[in-house]
Amino acid sequence: MASSAWRIAVIAVGAVAAVAVPGVASADTTVGYDVSHPQCGTDLPRDRAFAVVGVNGGLSTRANPCLQEQLTWAWESSGEVDDQPRAQVYLNTANPGHLLGEVTTWPESGATPYGVCDGTNSTACSWQYGWERAQNSVLSFFTPAARAARVDSQPSRYMWWLDVETMNTWQSGSVDALARNRATVEGMTEYLHSRDAEVGVYSTGQQWAQIVGSVDEDSVLAGLDSWLAGSVTADQAEDACDEEPLVPDGDVVLSQYVRDEWDRNASCR
């Protein structure tokens, strides 16, 4: 996300100035930022209302090596935007089931809403793959980093965004392939819901349609919030707040564009 071509920024709306507190952003902006492994070793923006941190290192099977430091930074955001949690996170997503034999993390078993996973490139195993990748990201990457950073380590205290974009590995070429991709995102959502976490989806309309296709109203994805990428100017990011959400019954709550090489985010609430 933070290294993709869709990176974005937000319009900083004037706010009442506040006395700066060491280590905590001053409440003079409504801008939010998202960062991840590409920003390791860089000086992160000082003033921000909220921040979204990538848990993964580009792939769902890898950890962001700077997650601990970036979580600390996120929690030091000002919280100026009431409807946006000051510290949010996102997970990379993918479905490499068509690469069986090359993917060591593909599940071999598991009971799912689509039946029993038998280790094949099936909808059931795609769902199980999503569940396991979310579970591993929470238990092996996020929780240890949050505890080391001495910030809240409960998944239920964060907004979790699922980053769905074509730069990751997805299946294609048929309606069944889209259904398997969709099942993976559903599996990730189901695991996060099992931890009482709030979940949303990040993408552009075009890439979402290419990867996931349509979403039925009885899917667990229906009603999730949308974070829209793809804007190239601040005005476009603001206008994108009025676009259709990625899933039925959802709302667009964040809009993103890039400025000065930083991903910035405008709250649509």
Side-chain angles (χ1 to χ4, degrees):
M1 177 189 298
S3 59
S4 77
W6 329 332
R7 296 186 311 168
I8 59 168
V10 284
I11 309 166
V13 180
V16 178
V19 177
V21 178
V24 178
S26 61
D28 61 355
T29 182
T30 58
V31 67
Y33 290 85
D34 62 88
V35 301
S36 190
H37 64 103
Q39 286 73 44
C40 286
T42 64
D43 292 330
L44 301 179
R46 172 68 173 83
D47 292 325
R48 67 274 175 200
F50 59 94
V52 191
V53 176
V55 173
N56 307 111
L59 298 175
S60 61
T61 53
R62 298 176 183 172
N64 172 5
C66 300
L67 182 54
Q68 175 183 334
E69 296 85 352
Q70 291 177 356
L71 284 173
T72 298
W73 170 81
W75 274 103
E76 291 172 349
S77 301
S78 70
E80 181 69 10
V81 180
D82 291 338
D83 292 329
Q84 292 295 339
R86 69 176 62 199
Q88 307 178 38
V89 291
Y90 75 86
L91 299 181
N92 286 116
T93 65
N95 184 340
H98 56 299
L99 302 175
L100 293 181
E102 302 177 33
V103 182
T104 60
T105 53
W106 192 253
E108 297 183 356
S109 62
T112 82
Y114 295 101
V116 176
C117 168
D118 59 2
T120 62
N121 182 24
S122 63
T123 306
C125 289
S126 294
W127 187 97
Q128 185 68 27
Y129 180 79
W131 173 284
E132 292 181 4
R133 296 279 56 77
Q135 181 183 54
N136 186 67
S137 292
V138 171
L139 298 182
S140 299
F141 304 154
F142 166 78
T143 301
R147 288 175 176 170
R150 297 187 178 183
V151 300
D152 203 310
S153 62
Q154 295 300 314
S156 58
R157 291 294 307 278
Y158 293 78
M159 178 69 187
W160 292 76
W161 295 99
L162 302 181
D163 179 4
V164 179
E165 52 184 301
T166 54
M167 67 185 300
N168 290 112
T169 302
W170 295 99
Q171 301 187 39
S172 62
S174 69
V175 173
D176 288 342
L178 296 184
R180 290 190 290 270
N181 292 342
R182 185 165 56 251
T184 296
V185 184
E186 289 175 338
M188 297 186 81
T189 300
E190 292 277 21
Y191 174 76
L192 292 168
H193 280 174
S194 77
R195 301 299 306 272
D196 296 324
E198 186 175 357
V199 183
V201 287
Y202 166 95
S203 193
T204 65
Q206 179 179 359
Q207 296 192 74
W208 180 264
Q210 180 179 340
I211 294 168
V212 175
S214 60
V215 173
D216 294 335
E217 292 188 356
D218 61 353
S219 168
V220 69
L221 303 180
L224 298 185
D225 286 337
S226 295
W227 176 10
L228 296 184
S231 296
V232 295
T233 68
D235 288 342
Q236 287 178 354
E238 184 177 23
D239 291 342
C241 289
D242 296 323
E243 292 182 6
E244 290 294 318
L246 299 170
V247 297
D249 301 323
D251 294 306
V252 178
V253 302
L254 281 180
S255 181
Q256 181 195 59
Y257 76 96
V258 66
R259 187 175 71 196
D260 300 329
E261 300 184 355
W262 287 103
D263 288 353
R264 307 187 186 200
N265 298 278
S267 176
C268 299
R269 290 173 166 168

